[in-house]
Amino acid sequence: MNTQTDVQKQKEYIEKIKKLNQGKNLKYNIFTMGCQLNENDSEKLSGMLEQMGYSKIEDIKQADLALFNTCCVRENAEDKLFGKLGELKKVKEEKGSIIAIGGCMMQEKHITDKIKESYSFVDVIFGTHTLYRFPEDLYKALIENKKQEDIIDIEGKIYEDIPIKRDSKIKASVTIMNGCNNFCTYCIVPYVRGRERSRNPKDIIKEVKELAESGYKEITLLGQNVNSYLRVEREKNIEFEKYKGIDSFAKLLKEITKIEGIERIRFVSPHPKDFTDDVIEAISSSPKICKLIHLPLQSGSSKVLKEMNRKYTKEQYLELVEKMKKQIPNLTLSTDIIVGFPGETEEDFEDTLDVVRKVNFEQVYMFIYSRRVGTPADKMENQIPEEIKHKRFDRLKELVESGIEKNNQKYINTIQKILVEGESKTSKEMLTGRTDSNKVVIFEGDKNLIGKIIEVKIISEHMWYLKGEVSKT
Ligand code: SAH
Ligand code: SF4
Ligand code: F3S
């Protein structure tokens, strides 16, 4: 069966559940952990559920169906899931809700074993490769009143036309590729998401055009390694549907900039080793492509980077940053950093701090190294004691925060273009939006500005957000 027929078959299950649910006014709650790819998957699960007649609620205790979309990139995600499951046991007993768990963590056998053993009230378990099959699994759980476990370990396929219910009406995520072939030694993602595979350019362009027609202003292109888009297909001569000559990430970006209505384009995550000149050129030549680029560093030590299998050195990273700064006016950078990778010495850690000082990042996502079962780094003998990891993390955090505070000063009294996203969460009187560099800006303004790009003068900075006043609409 091809993937189109597979998805078609699932639409029949959606219809069957819709009939079962008729007149029942059923509610679902979805809890998403992890990265933007997982959030985009959750939008697809929501799309399926809404077509089945479920409507979304925030209070999990009131849900007829509680769905978890899990992440396993670090250990704290596991603690979170098992904590939630403990809570849910009561809800299950009182209300008889259906409990379903999907996502990356379900691709790990030691986790599904634990669920089956200690949390046997869970009704449906599905993995990353079987997300599209959720309607069938749910239908069987409902009709047969039997636990469903639907997990497969394959390289992975691309499924198009899965229903989707997006969280925002202004900005949208578009997954352009799935899986990862990089096997950084600390990372579980390649094992739970399968091999790198890209969507056809035609399907991506169609999706972005539809978003533009529905009024979306900003899109974020998603993938574990977006700048290797279609690389496997090119290298291994795997056939893909040719469309407007697009055979690389740079060409995809250029084609998307031509779509009228889309005013901002972002992408995460690129890999420094694949940041080719054509991508830099595409970014600098279009005002629509945001000049905040996320460029994951992971470590500033060439020795640690080698152990991590990142395929670049400290010097190569810094050279790339210099080249980008020269060629992309108004460039800002964000990054991911792991502290306490096995064998990281004080000197290695100093190298990380050195890169942070030199680059002057707009935002740094900092993580304490977490051992992941099945990855090469988990088997390395020179693991760093927790106490040292935490101390280094605190030192890095201090440096990053003082950098952000200093950096925020450059915004004061400048006019920034803001995409207005909605009312501020903390005060209904205020609106919130983001700069090109993805900084949150809060300001007073009329609700009809929501969804528009307007000019705002920045008047003060508050570490994680800026305050402004509307200068021109
Ligand atoms: N594909 C992306 C990011 C994937 S995971 C990339 O290559 O940049 C997001 C971030 O989680 C990573 O960038 C890394 O900083 C962090 N991470 C991944 N595995 C980790 C681990 N075992 N411990 C701590 N942080 C980890
Ligand atoms: Fe993980 Fe590395 Fe792949 Fe990113 S590139 S998902 S960090 S293996
Ligand atoms: Fe987590 Fe899976 Fe994303 S492991 S970071 S949700 S790809």
Side-chain angles (χ1 to χ4, degrees), residues 272-287:
K273 77 176 165 63
D274 297 311
F275 223 106
T276 43
D277 289 348
D278 56 349
V279 176
I280 298 180
E281 197 273 325
I283 299 166
S284 62
S285 64
S286 170

Side-chain angles (χ1 to χ4, degrees), residues 16-29:
K16 284 185 187 172
I17 299 177
K18 195 176 165 186
K19 271 203 191 123
L20 280 181
N21 286 351
Q22 226 158 29
K24 291 188 186 156
N25 189 24
L26 297 180
K27 308 276 190 251
Y28 76 98
N29 174 279

Side-chain angles (χ1 to χ4, degrees), residues 395-436:
R395 281 163 65 197
L396 175 65
K397 189 163 169 263
E398 204 176 301
L399 177 68
V400 165
E401 288 182 357
S402 75
I404 290 176
E405 249 179 326
K406 259 187 244 149
N407 204 19
N408 277 350
Q409 300 298 332
K410 75 174 182 218
Y411 288 98
I412 306 285
N413 288 329
T414 61
I415 306 283
Q416 296 287 323
K417 282 205 165 78
I418 308 291
L419 173 58
V420 188
E421 290 174 14
E423 287 172 3
S424 157
K425 275 191 193 127
T426 43
S427 153
K428 279 210 176 304
E429 312 301 303
M430 307 287 273
L431 295 177
T432 176
R434 281 175 193 261
T435 62
D436 177 286

Side-chain angles (χ1 to χ4, degrees), residues 45-259:
L45 289 163
S46 295
M48 297 184 218
L49 285 165
E50 304 242 343
Q51 287 193 1
M52 293 171 195
Y54 290 92
S55 51
K56 195 172 180 169
I57 48 158
E58 295 306 321
D59 182 7
I60 201 165
K61 294 195 184 89
Q62 303 296 320
D64 300 284
L65 189 148
L67 178 57
F68 291 93
N69 192 7
T70 60
C71 166
C72 54
V73 82
R74 284 170 294 273
E75 196 180 355
N76 52 10
E78 278 167 32
D79 304 340
K80 219 189 242 173
L81 173 71
F82 290 115
K84 275 262 172 200
L85 277 178
E87 246 177 74
L88 261 192
K89 191 165 186 229
K90 259 211 202 125
V91 183
K92 173 87 188 174
E93 282 163 0
E94 280 165 18
K95 200 173 156 65
S97 321
I98 295 278
I99 316 276
I101 317 181
C104 296
M105 213 192 283
M106 297 306 106
Q107 296 292 138
E108 295 185 295
K109 195 173 173 305
H110 67 278
I111 298 284
T112 50
D113 283 348
K114 183 168 169 183
I115 291 176
K116 281 184 282 179
E117 211 178 281
S118 312
Y119 303 88
S120 57
F121 59 89
V122 173
D123 300 284
V124 182
I125 302 178
F126 60 100
T128 54
H129 302 295
T130 46
L131 177 132
Y132 79 97
R133 222 149 62 192
F134 176 64
E136 183 174 349
D137 296 332
L138 179 60
Y139 181 75
K140 286 182 181 159
L142 290 169
I143 285 287
E144 296 168 12
N145 201 16
K146 219 170 75 193
K147 312 271 170 232
Q148 300 295 317
E149 183 183 354
D150 188 9
I151 294 152
I152 49 173
D153 189 11
I154 52 166
E155 295 211 332
K157 294 179 186 172
I158 297 275
Y159 295 93
E160 294 293 342
D161 281 334
I162 298 177
I164 187 158
K165 168 90 170 49
R166 296 183 185 273
D167 294 336
S168 158
K169 289 189 162 55
I170 296 159
K171 39 185 211 174
S173 296
V174 177
T175 299
I176 63 166
M177 63 183 316
N178 278 313
C180 182
N181 288 357
N182 290 324
F183 291 93
C184 302
T185 53
Y186 51 80
C187 185
I188 194 75
V189 171
Y191 305 90
V192 296
R193 284 269 174 176
R195 295 292 64 71
E196 226 169 87
R197 55 214 182 270
S198 296
R199 286 177 70 194
N200 274 328
K202 193 175 166 192
D203 295 320
I204 298 171
I205 301 291
K206 180 170 160 261
E207 184 175 345
V208 179
K209 277 190 175 154
E210 283 168 3
L211 287 166
E213 278 157 21
S214 329
Y216 284 86
K217 292 288 178 333
E218 178 178 309
I219 58 149
T220 303
L221 306 175
L222 298 181
Q224 289 301 352
N225 189 0
V226 280
N227 49 351
S228 68
Y229 176 69
L230 284 177
R231 189 189 51 201
V232 177
E233 287 75 1
R234 275 194 318 269
E235 284 173 0
K236 294 194 178 163
N237 278 326
I238 299 171
E239 251 188 75
F240 59 93
E241 204 178 328
K242 299 278 181 301
Y243 186 70
K244 297 194 169 178
I246 301 170
D247 62 357
S248 68
F249 182 58
K251 287 185 189 160
L252 177 71
L253 269 180
K254 287 209 156 187
E255 197 55 42
I256 290 177
T257 61
K258 293 181 195 156
I259 298 173

